[in-house]
Amino acid sequence: MALGRAGDGASAAELGFVGLLIGEGRDVGAFVSAALGPVIDYDERRGTALLSTLAAYFAQGGSPSRTAEVMHIHVNTVTQRLDRVGRLLGDGWQEPERALEIQLALRLRHISTAGTVGPTPI
């Protein structure tokens, strides 16, 4: 009833970030993994910077040229990385609802890894 949808049912996982906010378990790790898992895994396996590129891209309002500027890399590199992100996350990753979930997952991951050693996402 929290969403005013009496009689409808959905698991916290099916509700995406809304489930994270109102669900009892609040499994932040599972949410981050569901939203970013393939990108995190790819970066860890290959030593790439897709996650930081994705964070910078959103921080720069979705502008590849501004992303390139703040990351001190060529815009073609940004484009190639975002193409790889798209292949890993699937179609629609830039659509508003999905992009919001990805941005939230990036922020939650940043907060949860802020105390760790190593590169921190932008």
Side-chain angles (χ1 to χ4, degrees), residues 53 64 74-84:
T53 303
H74 196 276
V75 71
N76 289 346
T77 302
V78 172
T79 302
Q80 291 168 356
R81 290 179 183 177
L82 292 176
D83 286 346
R84 173 68 63 188

Side-chain angles (χ1 to χ4, degrees), residues 1-121:
M1 190 64 181
L3 296 175
R5 295 180 54 182
D8 289 341
S11 71
E14 291 171 321
L15 293 173
F17 75 92
V18 174
L20 181 66
L21 295 174
I22 66 171
E24 290 182 24
R26 290 185 176 81
D27 189 348
V28 173
F31 174 78
V32 170
S33 182
L36 298 172
V39 178
I40 294 168
D41 293 345
Y42 190 91
D43 272 356
E44 288 175 355
R45 280 193 324 270
R46 307 242 176 146
T48 54
L50 299 182
L51 201 61
S52 61
T53 303
L54 185 58
Y57 173 76
F58 283 123
Q60 296 306 313
S63 168
S65 60
R66 288 197 311 262
T67 301
E69 190 175 311
V70 300
M71 294 189 76
H72 307 290
I73 58 178
H74 196 276
V75 71
N76 289 346
T77 302
V78 172
T79 302
Q80 291 168 356
R81 290 179 183 177
L82 292 176
D83 286 346
R84 173 68 63 188
V85 165
R87 286 193 293 279
L88 293 167
L89 295 181
D91 292 337
W93 71 271
Q94 292 175 305
E95 295 299 319
E97 185 176 326
R98 182 100 182 274
L100 176 61
E101 289 194 357
I102 292 167
Q103 290 175 69
L104 179 58
L106 285 165
R107 289 178 184 258
L108 289 169
R109 186 170 193 281
H110 176 73
I111 291 167
S112 70
T113 60
T116 62
V117 178
T120 304

